[in-house]
Amino acid sequence: MAAETLPQPQARKPCLLSKIEGFQEVVTTAVIIPKEDGVISVSEERTIRVWLKRDSGQYWPSVYHTMPSSCSCMSFNPETRRLSVGMDTGSICEFALSEDYNKMTPALTYQAHQGRVTVVLFVLEMEWLLSTGQDKNFTWHCSESGQQLGMYRTAAWVSGLQFDVETRHAFVGDQSGQVTILKLEQDSCSLVTTFKGHTGHVTALCWDPVQRVLFSGSSDHSIIMWDIGGRKGTAIELQGHNEKVQGLCYASHTRQLISCSSDGSIVIWNMDVTRQETPEWLDSDSCQKCEQPFFWNFKQMWDSKKIGLRQHHCRKCGHAVCGKCSSKRSTIPLMGFEFEVRVCDSCHESITDEDRAPTATFHDSKHNIVYMHYEPTTGSLLTSGTDKTVKLWDMTPVVS
């Protein structure tokens, strides 16, 4: 179990560049415009805004467009300047932005879902628009004709979606904690596999096509790195948040993972290290160190005339142990435990100071984050919070 206190923030930290305020409701999604000092935001207050930085250093809306209902999500493609906005009503509205980002023209409307659109993703290479909704449907449309090409029914409503162009695999994370991999064709799809490692909802997905690794974040506070390309079923846990993980971004050029959670923490993970899988917890009726019976082992309790003990597990070896044999705590960063966790006494003795060297840095955004976007070309990070404020950060001091 993770400790309740976070490690102290590091000396090198993200630099706050700007704040964008003035929203009446929470900004559900916002993105940084590459090669422009600009931001696009959509919010529950039914507005789409394009913000450009003026000579004064302040961001002012060059486009302010009111929609008929709340905007739940969006996808922006900078190459085509195509903006796809998911709506509370289930439809997806598409717009074309002018080259100077001062004008937005309606293009297509997709009647995609029967409920709120949860994720929308435009894939330029395929000319596909992928989307998921609270109606538990995953759909993909032709972005040229607007025609629906296919649909897949999910076990629960989807909160995370990624796509690999090379293999045409869609990664779908849902509220049951499951991640499903689908192979998409032009008008059909097939189930490749499903995997589940989270005890809470999947709240965020991030795909790295170079290393062929999928990261999933969850309401259970954890992140799992699924090694898809390795084909060995390797899954590495990362424990560095005390609240629900709200966003994941991967900086492939530095092999660093950026994660954020609802308590406002931003964590930078060094993924350029050899990490270890956490062991499976072993089952036993007695402590695997001192052999004292656990409290449900009535026969051994009676035979040995001893009181049954509570069962714990060592996070390093996975053995079932009693409290006396696991009185020590330690960080195990290479196993993903940046907080101190329970370890058995023998494992504690084997952990060196080098083993305890942190592989992540922790930073406080000072607002409760609901969404995050990283732009690698500028090294800038955007966070949107429950305080109805968007913050822009220079991440180059910590992502380098």
Side-chain angles (χ1 to χ4, degrees), residues 12 42 162 399:
R12 296 174 65 196
V42 300
Q162 293 282 278
V399 180

Side-chain angles (χ1 to χ4, degrees), residues 177-245:
Q178 179 175 282
V179 177
T180 302
I181 303 181
L182 301 170
K183 170 80 170 183
L184 298 193
E185 301 298 344
Q186 189 65 24
D187 56 1
S188 65
C189 75
S190 55
L191 176 64
V192 177
T193 188
T194 60
F195 39 84
K196 186 171 182 178
H198 292 291
T199 57
H201 313 321
V202 174
T203 52
L205 291 179
C206 179
W207 170 246
D208 174 31
V210 178
Q211 301 294 325
R212 307 203 65 73
V213 166
L214 181 72
F215 298 96
S216 61
S218 172
S219 60
D220 64 10
H221 311 172
S222 73
I223 299 164
I224 299 178
M225 182 184 82
W226 309 89
D227 185 3
I228 307 295
R231 299 183 181 276
K232 295 180 180 178
T234 305
I236 304 294
E237 286 187 48
L238 302 175
Q239 301 281 354
H241 288 284
N242 278 325
E243 293 293 338
K244 175 172 68 172
V245 177

Side-chain angles (χ1 to χ4, degrees), residues 32-45:
I32 299 167
I33 304 172
K35 302 177 183 177
E36 293 279 344
D37 278 329
V39 168
I40 304 172
S41 67
V42 300
S43 73
E44 295 285 355
E45 65 184 5

Side-chain angles (χ1 to χ4, degrees), residues 65-360:
H65 184 83
T66 302
M67 300 294 287
S69 65
S70 296
C71 306
S72 54
C73 56
M74 75 163 163
S75 176
F76 176 65
N77 181 264
E79 292 181 49
T80 60
R81 298 188 302 280
R82 185 181 307 201
L83 179 67
S84 308
V85 180
M87 308 298 294
D88 204 37
T89 57
S91 62
I92 299 171
C93 299
E94 202 163 77
F95 300 89
L97 285 161
S98 62
E99 194 172 350
D100 61 2
Y101 290 96
N102 283 307
K103 185 181 179 182
M104 191 170 74
T105 306
L108 278 173
T109 298
Y110 307 82
Q111 302 302 326
H113 298 277
Q114 298 299 313
R116 181 182 175 93
V117 182
T118 53
V119 187
V120 60
L121 182 62
F122 173 65
V123 183
L124 175 62
E125 294 86 349
M126 311 299 301
E127 288 291 347
W128 286 352
L129 186 72
L130 315 181
S131 65
T132 60
Q134 287 187 351
D135 59 0
K136 301 181 184 178
N137 287 334
F138 163 62
T139 67
W140 62 106
H141 289 75
C142 173
S143 60
E144 293 180 316
S145 66
Q147 179 184 354
Q148 181 175 307
L149 300 174
M151 182 177 72
Y152 180 85
R153 184 80 172 165
T154 56
W157 66 268
V158 175
S159 41
L161 176 64
Q162 293 282 278
F163 184 75
D164 180 55
V165 173
E166 183 183 336
T167 61
R168 295 189 182 184
H169 284 159
F171 305 97
V172 182
D174 65 39
Q175 292 285 294
S176 72
Q178 179 175 282
V179 177
T180 302
I181 303 181
L182 301 170
K183 170 80 170 183
L184 298 193
E185 301 298 344
Q186 189 65 24
D187 56 1
S188 65
C189 75
S190 55
L191 176 64
V192 177
T193 188
T194 60
F195 39 84
K196 186 171 182 178
H198 292 291
T199 57
H201 313 321
V202 174
T203 52
L205 291 179
C206 179
W207 170 246
D208 174 31
V210 178
Q211 301 294 325
R212 307 203 65 73
V213 166
L214 181 72
F215 298 96
S216 61
S218 172
S219 60
D220 64 10
H221 311 172
S222 73
I223 299 164
I224 299 178
M225 182 184 82
W226 309 89
D227 185 3
I228 307 295
R231 299 183 181 276
K232 295 180 180 178
T234 305
I236 304 294
E237 286 187 48
L238 302 175
Q239 301 281 354
H241 288 284
N242 278 325
E243 293 293 338
K244 175 172 68 172
V245 177
Q246 291 286 59
L248 296 170
C249 300
Y250 188 68
S252 57
H253 60 296
T254 60
R255 296 194 68 177
Q256 289 172 289
L257 178 71
I258 307 170
S259 63
C260 68
S261 55
S262 56
D263 61 358
S265 65
I266 299 172
V267 183
I268 317 296
W269 304 85
N270 177 12
M271 303 309 297
D272 196 21
V273 293
T274 303
R275 294 188 176 272
Q276 305 163 19
E277 280 191 285
T278 52
E280 289 189 21
W281 286 4
L282 302 178
D283 292 325
S284 179
D285 291 328
S286 57
C287 176
Q288 294 181 296
K289 298 297 179 180
C290 69
E291 300 184 350
Q292 286 267 44
F294 292 134
F295 65 83
W296 60 83
N297 189 352
F298 297 118
K299 184 179 186 305
Q300 188 179 345
M301 287 165 58
W302 178 263
D303 292 344
S304 62
K305 301 296 188 292
K306 291 179 180 178
I307 297 173
L309 303 176
R310 183 183 172 190
Q311 184 189 63
H312 301 280
H313 284 91
C314 172
R315 300 307 192 269
K316 190 172 190 297
C317 67
H319 284 163
V321 290
C322 67
K324 186 177 179 182
C325 293
S326 59
S327 60
K328 304 289 199 311
R329 302 289 184 272
S330 177
T331 60
I332 323 174
L334 290 179
M335 295 183 83
F337 296 113
E338 294 288 336
F339 300 115
E340 289 192 339
V341 290
R342 182 185 294 272
V343 292
C344 67
D345 292 352
S346 56
C347 281
H348 189 270
E349 291 177 10
S350 71
I351 300 173
T352 65
D353 289 341
E354 186 179 349
D355 293 333
R356 293 187 179 93
T359 62

